[in-house]
């Protein structure tokens, strides 16, 4: 049997915010657990949060000195690819959401840092959906054949779990409370329905006010374990995903 040479893959990840980042991190933790034995993986977490030019510049320079045989920028910190070896770097882009909400100079800077420069620099880009691929092409003019669509992995921990549907007051599970999770619109949508909204993620004052104003029955949990998250899926009757 021929033993394959070790390949060192560095997964570049964002520094988690105080409120918690878990979606991208959870996905790639699962990816690493499935890698073949000859791939030696390492996680490189940026020293600073993705805030402002100076902190992002530091993170870009730091990433340059942490490269491996293959570099994988896992998302939400696309700019880390700017100084990496273009032929050894994979960039995963999850969405282009902020291009739809930012304006003026902020939008221009975001476009350069998160899309134009990193997209032009790397040889290989993966997008999590055809919609994201279309957005990348629309905003950057990137050739379509440079982008491969690879849907986010689904952990084997999440499997079908049959339960009787609660017709009287079904539980709707909503995960995530950041702006792109669209919780305020979801609250507006269910305000006249007989249901219970189970929200995972720290809710803001504005979201709490909207829940009370619209008389939506709800419960809230955050900073929960993976086991508790799986239980939330088991307990709910429907998953609401207006992200």
């Amino acid at each position: 049997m021929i033993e394959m040479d070790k390949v060192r893959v560095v997964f570049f990840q964002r520094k988690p915010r105080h409120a918690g980042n878990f979606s991208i991190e959870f996905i790639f933790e699962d990816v690493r657990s499935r890698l073949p034995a000859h791939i030696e993986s390492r996680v490189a977490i940026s020293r600073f949060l993705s805030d402002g030019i100076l902190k992002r510049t530091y993170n870009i320079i730091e990433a340059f000195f942490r490269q491996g045989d293959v570099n994988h920028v896992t998302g939400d910190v696309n700019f880390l690819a700017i100084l990496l070896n273009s032929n050894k770097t994979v960039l995963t882009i999850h969405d282009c959401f902020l291009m739809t909400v930012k304006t003026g100079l902020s939008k221009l800077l975001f476009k350069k840092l998160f899309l134009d420069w990193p997209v032009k620099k790397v040889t290989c880009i993966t997008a999590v959906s055809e919609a994201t691929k279309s957005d990348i092409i629309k905003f950057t003019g990137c050739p379509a054949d440079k982008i491969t669509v690879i849907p986010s992995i689904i952990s084997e921990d999440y499997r079908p779990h049959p339960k009787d549907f609660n017709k009287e007051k079904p539980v709707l599970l909503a995960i995530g409370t950041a702006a792109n999770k669209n919780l305020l619109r979801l609250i507006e949508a269910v305000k006249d329905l007989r249901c219970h909204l189970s929200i995972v993620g720290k809710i803001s004052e504005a979201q709490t006010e909207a829940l009370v104003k619209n008389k939506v029955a709800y419960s809230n949990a955050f900073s929960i374990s993976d086991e508790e998250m799986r239980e939330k899926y088991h307990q709910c009757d429907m998953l609401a995903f207006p992200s």
Side-chain angles (χ1 to χ4, degrees), residues 197-212:
L197 199 56
S198 175
I199 305 167
V200 177
K202 200 166 186 177
I203 56 178
S204 67
E205 185 176 333
Q207 290 164 342
T208 302
E209 289 177 358
L211 288 162
V212 174

Side-chain angles (χ1 to χ4, degrees), residues 135-237:
D135 282 346
I136 297 168
I137 295 169
K138 177 175 72 175
F139 291 126
T140 69
C142 177
D145 60 4
K146 187 176 177 177
I147 308 169
T148 302
V149 174
I150 303 177
S152 295
I153 196 169
I154 299 175
S155 169
E156 291 182 351
D157 290 338
Y158 289 85
R159 299 174 181 174
H161 190 272
K163 75 178 289 291
D164 292 332
F165 187 83
N166 182 351
K167 296 179 181 179
E168 296 301 317
K169 197 171 187 179
V171 175
L172 276 63
L173 178 62
I175 299 175
T177 56
N180 62 312
K181 299 304 179 183
N182 229 358
L183 180 58
L184 290 175
R185 283 298 293 276
L186 176 61
I187 293 169
E188 184 181 345
V190 303
K191 65 180 181 181
D192 294 321
L193 301 180
R194 189 193 297 270
C195 65
H196 179 95
L197 199 56
S198 175
I199 305 167
V200 177
K202 200 166 186 177
I203 56 178
S204 67
E205 185 176 333
Q207 290 164 342
T208 302
E209 289 177 358
L211 288 162
V212 174
K213 177 184 176 182
N214 290 289
K215 300 179 180 178
V216 175
Y218 76 97
S219 55
N220 179 226
F222 55 92
S223 299
I224 63 177
S225 66
D226 291 343
E227 180 58 39
E228 289 171 320
M229 180 68 84
R230 286 192 290 273
E231 190 59 30
K232 289 289 184 184
Y233 277 99
H234 294 169
Q235 292 171 351
C236 76
D237 297 287

Side-chain angles (χ1 to χ4, degrees), residues 91-160:
L91 169 63
T92 293
I93 299 179
H94 296 265
D95 61 63
C96 301
F97 165 73
L98 289 177
M99 284 297 294
T100 66
V101 296
K102 285 186 174 292
T103 58
L105 180 60
S106 176
K107 182 174 183 177
L108 177 63
L109 289 173
F110 173 84
K111 185 173 184 293
K112 292 296 183 186
L113 270 177
F114 281 80
L115 291 173
D116 290 343
W117 293 338
V119 164
K120 185 177 181 180
K121 178 64 185 288
V122 302
T123 304
C124 181
I125 298 169
T126 69
V128 300
S129 67
E130 290 290 347
T132 296
K133 178 176 179 177
S134 296
D135 282 346
I136 297 168
I137 295 169
K138 177 175 72 175
F139 291 126
T140 69
C142 177
D145 60 4
K146 187 176 177 177
I147 308 169
T148 302
V149 174
I150 303 177
S152 295
I153 196 169
I154 299 175
S155 169
E156 291 182 351
D157 290 338
Y158 289 85
R159 299 174 181 174

Side-chain angles (χ1 to χ4, degrees), residues 17-40:
R17 296 190 178 276
H18 180 67
N21 294 123
F22 58 88
S23 54
I24 294 173
E25 290 75 8
F26 183 84
I27 288 167
F28 284 98
E29 182 181 356
D30 196 22
V31 167
R32 287 188 292 274
S33 73
R34 300 168 190 249
L35 295 176
H38 73 281
I39 295 180
E40 200 172 81

